[in-house]
Amino acid sequence: MLIKIAKPGDLRESDVTPESVYLSRRRFMGGLAGVGAGLALAGRAQAAASDYQDVPAGNPPGWFKPKLENAEWDSVVPADRELDKLTPFEDATHYNNFYEFGTGKSDPARNADSLETQPWSVVIDGEVANGGRFDLEDIAKPSRLQERIYRLRCVEAWSMVIPWLGIPLGDVIKRAEPTSKAKYVKFETLVAPDQMPGQDSSFALIDWPYTEGLRMDEAMHPLAILGLGMYGRELPNQNGAPFRLIVPWKYGFKSIKSIVRISLVEEQPVNSWQAIAPDEYGFYANVNPKVDHPRWSQATERRLPNSLFNPNIIDTRMFNGYADEVASLYQGMDLRKSF
Amino acid sequence: MSMPRYTLTLWRIAVFIAALVPLAYWSSQVAINAAGPEPGRYLLLNIGQGILWMLLLTLSLTPLTKLTRWKGFTLIRRQLGLWTLTYALLHLFCYAVFILGLDLSRLGSEIVRRPYIIVGMLALTGLIVMGVTSNKWSMRKLGKRWKTLHKIVYLVLGLGLLHFLWVVRADLEQWSLYAAVGALLMILRLPPIARQLPKFRQLIKRPGQARA
């Protein structure tokens, strides 16, 4: 069996946040001054809601609300929350690469209203014992929703910090009961040119469906999640509603949006960007400041939002700052070749 | 077509103001925080497309003059050429200041390492050469060679389109439009076709004369 179940100690970043800091933030956010840990726990849902009071309410499916109320807030957060401050919701939802809705950064926010996300079903197939077509609700039901505040590093050298809500990808894969032949996980985005105007463009270089892949041990890593929401609500359409991948140690394009198919496969899948430009985008696409994109340096990134005379340039970290958690996955590999 | 002198002066002023309008608009979008979370990149990309607009407009003046014989088009040729150069310099300024944060060592290493930047810098060099020789003194000094020298504008167009092509990542629609207009303007310069342009003028004129 090639499936490597990660050790519980792998979720190190959350452990770095001392409980006192955690509680003081909650006191600040939710007015829970001087209460014990038990009470703070009880107040979590409320406190989390107030974290995002400026975020417009969405229109989630009925099953999403109870999941949200039961969510585990701040499940993984950045070690330095001052350095990795949350990106404003407005920016995270109006500066997107989602070519199904156009190639401009503001195109997805403008065009994604046409996407129909309810009902939504996902095919899980390939090397699994328990495959089939599942309602999204049934895929999400057995797992508790967790909030994961992750850095998002785009291959274009900009970055944000996003509070995702999701479930561990490993949970979903385990429930599908992969066979011993399952070595990779392949993901596909919806193809619906009537809802996704970018797929109608005859000049598009992407061969739809947008496809991504992970090695099995990467997919089973506890930091890899399937996202259902962000900023304390369900995913806005332009951010990959209703169901997307989030792999925080890889460049953003790996985190495929609006997933309709998850296949467990034996051969390494060819992801869409690799198919377009294999010399520029690899299969692994791990964030790596030492391996440049042929057209620009990856040594630094612009943390958004920035302003004209303060481009907010910070050093890019190995594996996007998640090296302690994931570097062991790539031991002995030449990351210059497997970029 | 003869027009009073002040009309042509007004025309030149109008063109000058029109060329400033996009810059004013993009700046105002940045000022009111409507340019997104990365305003520097917003300016960089918009001004970049502005260069192509200016260049293609400049290159359309000769065919337009042949087609209409209106000297107003010839009169703004140098102005639009200099606007192309201005936009290109602003584009480089945006890249150096807003994207690289004026990290001059990185500017140097990026310029030599990235093919699309090398191509862009070559195009800018061509524009600068034409810009500094666009005055009457240079025209007199260079004589016949001036015209030959300014043929590098065609090279600049090719390099500019290549620079843009290498930036495009997944959708060629916009690039194809610019390339098609550029190709059309080149075709209109081929001698057999260029010779036909004045005839089209008569075709355009005739219905008007019939009405008169």
Side-chain angles (χ1 to χ4, degrees):
Chain A
M1 194 77 167
L2 274 163
I3 302 171
K4 184 193 156 201
I5 311 292
K7 302 174 290 293
D10 282 357
L11 276 182
R12 245 167 269 163
E13 238 200 0
S14 62
D15 303 339
V16 195
T17 310
E19 198 185 24
S20 59
V21 173
Y22 173 80
L23 286 176
S24 70
R25 174 169 175 268
R26 281 298 166 222
R27 273 199 288 275
F28 173 72
M29 295 295 188
L32 293 166
V35 294
L39 264 179
L41 202 74
R44 269 178 174 189
Q46 266 191 325
S50 70
D51 279 6
Y52 306 116
Q53 49 190 318
D54 293 337
V55 172
N59 178 29
W63 56 266
F64 189 79
K65 233 185 149 185
K67 286 203 82 67
L68 194 60
E69 278 160 11
N70 188 37
E72 184 190 341
W73 299 97
D74 281 344
S75 153
V76 177
V77 301
D80 184 341
R81 302 204 61 167
E82 206 34 54
L83 181 77
D84 290 328
K85 259 192 278 222
L86 289 192
T87 302
F89 178 80
E90 174 72 15
D91 292 332
T93 53
H94 288 78
Y95 199 74
N96 308 102
N97 281 326
F98 196 173
Y99 283 23
E100 280 80 349
F101 295 104
T103 54
K105 295 275 183 292
S106 47
D107 289 344
R110 202 172 10 218
N111 298 331
D113 277 349
S114 53
L115 180 67
E116 286 160 27
T117 58
Q118 298 174 38
W120 192 271
S121 63
V122 180
V123 171
I124 301 181
D125 62 359
E127 299 295 341
V128 290
N130 182 24
R133 178 181 286 274
F134 302 91
D135 282 338
L136 181 56
E137 176 183 2
D138 297 325
I139 292 176
K141 199 181 273 170
S143 302
R144 186 176 174 197
L145 211 52
Q146 297 180 16
E147 183 175 55
R148 303 283 184 96
I149 302 183
Y150 283 158
R151 293 173 287 275
L152 170 76
R153 170 62 156 82
C154 179
V155 73
E156 298 167 338
W158 53 266
S159 63
M160 294 182 178
V161 179
I162 312 282
W164 302 106
L165 284 163
I167 57 177
L169 170 59
D171 284 8
V172 175
I173 291 176
K174 264 182 262 172
R175 285 197 291 269
E177 296 168 26
T179 71
S180 59
K181 279 190 187 164
K183 308 250 166 72
Y184 295 90
V185 189
K186 181 179 161 192
F187 304 86
E188 284 176 17
T189 296
L190 175 73
V191 179
D194 53 323
Q195 299 172 45
M196 300 175 140
Q199 291 179 337
D200 238 353
S201 164
S202 41
F203 292 91
L205 297 177
I206 294 174
D207 187 13
W208 316 107
Y210 188 83
T211 302
E212 260 308 335
L214 293 173
R215 214 170 58 191
M216 199 64 176
D217 57 345
E218 297 178 316
M220 296 307 292
H221 193 282
L223 283 179
I225 60 167
L226 287 164
L228 297 158
M230 60 196 271
Y231 296 83
R233 51 161 282 173
E234 87 279 15
L235 286 171
N237 286 0
Q238 64 266 36
N239 294 84
F243 190 51
R244 64 169 294 172
L245 180 67
I246 298 138
V247 200
W249 69 92
K250 292 175 180 285
Y251 291 120
F253 69 85
K254 292 294 292 181
S255 293
I256 181 172
K257 302 182 176 91
S258 304
I259 297 168
V260 294
R261 188 173 176 198
I262 300 175
S263 309
L264 285 279
V265 293
E266 196 173 3
E267 302 284 321
Q268 181 174 305
V270 179
N271 46 322
S272 289
W273 281 104
Q274 193 188 7
I276 296 174
D279 52 328
E280 300 193 350
Y281 309 98
F283 172 77
Y284 286 97
N286 291 316
V287 175
N288 188 341
K290 290 185 212 104
V291 178
D292 282 355
H293 185 282
R295 287 184 271 157
W296 55 82
S297 163
Q298 297 290 28
T300 60
E301 64 201 51
R302 305 182 299 281
R303 178 59 58 84
L304 303 187
N306 65 11
S307 59
L308 280 190
F309 292 99
N310 179 14
N312 216 5
I313 296 171
I314 57 175
D315 285 338
T316 289
R317 296 161 67 189
M318 191 63 205
F319 296 114
N320 202 21
Y322 301 97
D324 286 350
E325 292 87 349
V326 303
S328 60
L329 295 174
Y330 308 102
Q331 246 161 26
M333 280 176 62
D334 182 349
L335 297 178
R336 257 168 214 294
K337 285 200 184 108
S338 305
F339 59 89
Chain B
M1 248 190 276
S2 62
M3 278 189 188
R5 222 205 179 106
Y6 71 87
T7 314
L8 288 172
T9 308
L10 276 180
W11 159 246
R12 289 163 81 167
I13 293 171
V15 169
F16 187 89
I17 292 168
L20 273 174
V21 166
L23 296 177
Y25 174 74
W26 297 322
S27 307
S28 72
Q29 291 296 102
V30 171
I32 62 167
N33 283 325
E38 205 174 4
R41 194 167 178 274
Y42 168 89
L43 289 179
L44 176 81
L45 298 186
N46 278 309
I47 292 173
Q49 293 210 35
I51 308 171
L52 273 171
W53 271 91
M54 288 297 168
L55 185 59
L56 291 172
L57 283 172
T58 310
L59 287 168
S60 68
L61 296 174
T62 299
L64 279 172
T65 307
K66 285 204 173 122
L67 211 56
T68 64
R69 228 194 246 168
W70 184 48
K71 66 176 172 187
F73 289 127
T74 316
L75 270 177
I76 58 165
R77 196 164 68 163
R78 174 161 62 189
Q79 192 195 144
L80 282 191
L82 288 171
W83 274 119
T84 311
L85 171 62
T86 308
Y87 272 57
L89 289 170
L90 285 172
H91 185 61
L92 175 66
F93 175 85
C94 289
Y95 177 67
V97 179
F98 304 146
I99 302 296
L100 297 183
L102 257 190
D103 182 343
L104 290 179
S105 63
R106 248 194 85 192
L107 181 63
S109 69
E110 293 291 288
I111 285 173
V112 292
R113 273 226 300 274
R114 317 284 171 203
Y116 82 102
I117 293 180
I118 296 171
V119 163
M121 292 302 289
L122 283 174
L124 176 64
T125 310
L127 287 173
I128 291 172
V129 167
M130 286 187 287
V132 297
T133 58
S134 64
N135 49 66
K136 286 214 170 90
W137 182 83
S138 301
M139 290 173 95
R140 265 200 309 274
K141 190 93 183 156
L142 289 163
K144 270 187 184 164
R145 283 171 302 163
W146 187 90
K147 223 177 165 182
T148 318
L149 178 69
H150 279 242
K151 286 214 167 102
I152 56 175
V153 69
Y154 305 130
L155 186 66
V156 168
L157 175 66
L159 291 170
L161 283 171
L162 185 61
H163 172 77
F164 189 20
L165 177 68
W166 281 344
V167 177
V168 174
R169 292 172 73 230
D171 192 297
L172 289 174
E173 185 166 1
Q174 218 170 28
W175 183 85
S176 308
L177 284 173
Y178 286 109
V181 173
L184 175 73
L185 292 173
M186 291 301 104
I187 289 168
L188 292 178
R189 281 174 161 73
L190 295 173
I193 291 166
R195 275 196 295 274
Q196 303 299 316
L197 287 180
K199 291 182 191 160
F200 275 101
R201 179 179 75 240
Q202 274 136 32
L203 281 178
I204 298 164
K205 255 188 158 175
R206 216 163 280 150
Q209 282 167 341
R211 266 202 302 274

